Amino acid sequence: MREPHPGLAKGEILIVEDEPNIVRLISIYLEREGFEPTSAATGSEALARVASHKPALIILDIMLPDIDGWEVCREIRRDSNVPIIMLTAREGDEDKIVGLELGADDYVTKPFVPRELVARVKAILRRSSKYPEERSSQGEILDFGELRIEPDRREAWLHGESIQLRAKEYDLLTELARRPGFVFTREQLLQNVWGYDYFGDSGTIDVHVRRLRAKLKDDSSNPRFIETVWGVGYRFKDVRQPS
Ligand code: CA
C-alpha cells in the first residue's frame, strides 16, 4: 500500500544509525531545514518506529548492531513505499546496486557531506509528496492501452490493476512515457529523474528499469513498453492510444 507522506516537504525523518555523532550531525542539518529528525540505533528499533510513526523518509545505515540495513530495508519494503536513503560504507558499486535492488530510493556513501544528504532528502520528498489533495478528473493521462499512467495522482495501472511503484520507479516511468519514441541516454535520465550528477553511474538506471519491467511484466527481449537502445539508453515504445 502506498502511504500518504504527510505535509509537503517537512516531516519526520527517521535516522537509523548506531553512531551517535553521525545521528547528531545529520539531525542538525535536517532541523535547520525544518524537518523533524528522529533516530533508531538498531534495526529492530527502526522497524518498530516505522510501524508506529510512519516517517516521511528514512535514512538507513547498513552497519547496525543487530540486523543489517539490507535486512531492515527488505522488511520495510514488505508493506511500505516510504522513501529510503541508504548510507553505504564502501565506494563499491555492489553496495549501491544491492540497496537499489532491495528497494532503496537512493544511497549516499560514507563519509558524506551533510548538506548533500539533506539535498537528496529534499529532492526525494519533493517528488514523492506530490499527492494531490483531491482527485482531479482534468489531470494528465498517459494512455497506452494496457498501461495507463496518471502523473498528477502518481498512479499507474496495468490491465486496470494498480501497480505499486516506488518513488523513483514512478518518476522514471513517467519521464520515459511522456516522450514515447524519444531515446533517453542514461545520463539524461539520471539528470531528469534524480536531479543531480551521479558521475556516470548508469547502474542506477539499469536497476530501476529492471524493476520497472518486472512490475510492468515487460520482457526485455521483446518489450511492450521500455526498449533498450544498445549503447545509448532507453526509449518508451510509441504505443499511445488515440484519445
Ligand atoms: Ca552504523
Side-chain angles (χ1 to χ4, degrees), residues 16-19 22 41 61-65 110:
V16 186
E17 165 65 284
D18 56 320
E19 292 167 61
I22 295 183
D61 188 42
I62 294 172
M63 301 293 285
L64 296 169
K110 282 178 165 180

Side-chain angles (χ1 to χ4, degrees), residues 18-201:
D18 56 320
E19 292 167 61
N21 288 337
I22 295 183
V23 172
R24 209 169 302 136
L25 181 68
I26 300 174
S27 299
I28 290 169
Y29 278 82
L30 286 173
E31 273 170 3
R32 238 179 243 170
E33 295 290 334
F35 292 107
E36 255 180 78
T38 57
S39 66
T42 66
S44 45
E45 202 185 307
L47 293 174
R49 180 86 195 174
V50 171
S52 63
H53 283 73
K54 308 237 179 289
L57 183 144
I58 299 170
I59 295 169
L60 177 57
D61 188 42
I62 294 172
M63 301 293 285
L64 296 169
D66 53 348
I67 44 178
D68 66 25
W70 305 133
E71 192 55 40
V72 176
C73 183
R74 196 179 292 127
E75 282 296 319
I76 292 171
R77 279 290 173 258
R78 281 175 196 272
D79 52 21
S80 170
N81 280 325
V82 59
I84 297 176
I85 299 178
M86 304 282 305
L87 295 179
T88 69
R90 279 163 290 160
E91 273 295 341
D93 278 349
E94 218 171 281
D95 271 9
K96 299 169 184 171
I97 301 302
V98 171
L100 295 172
E101 292 277 13
L102 289 177
D105 293 274
D106 205 348
Y107 51 81
V108 169
T109 308
K110 282 178 165 180
F112 56 86
V113 180
R115 202 170 288 133
E116 192 197 333
L117 174 60
V118 173
R120 294 192 186 200
V121 167
K122 287 163 79 177
I124 288 181
L125 286 177
R126 225 178 0 254
R127 291 169 187 281
S128 64
S129 64
K130 284 180 192 157
Y131 301 112
E133 290 300 312
E134 53 194 75
R135 294 188 163 196
S136 155
S137 55
Q138 311 286 319
E140 178 189 9
I141 294 171
L142 302 171
D143 189 353
F144 303 98
E146 50 192 326
L147 175 66
R148 181 185 168 92
I149 308 165
E150 293 193 22
D152 294 344
R153 291 166 58 173
R154 294 186 66 81
E155 285 188 60
W157 293 265
L158 184 67
H159 301 294
E161 291 206 7
S162 177
I163 318 169
Q164 296 301 312
L165 296 174
R166 297 198 270 267
K168 290 295 184 198
E169 295 166 358
Y170 186 83
D171 294 336
L172 182 61
L173 175 62
T174 309
E175 181 72 17
L176 289 164
R178 276 192 171 134
R179 295 184 74 181
F182 182 85
V183 180
F184 287 90
T185 66
R186 291 178 175 81
E187 287 68 30
Q188 279 173 324
L189 292 170
L190 282 173
Q191 194 63 50
N192 297 353
V193 175
W194 274 259
Y196 51 87
D197 269 334
Y198 258 67
F199 299 102
D201 191 352

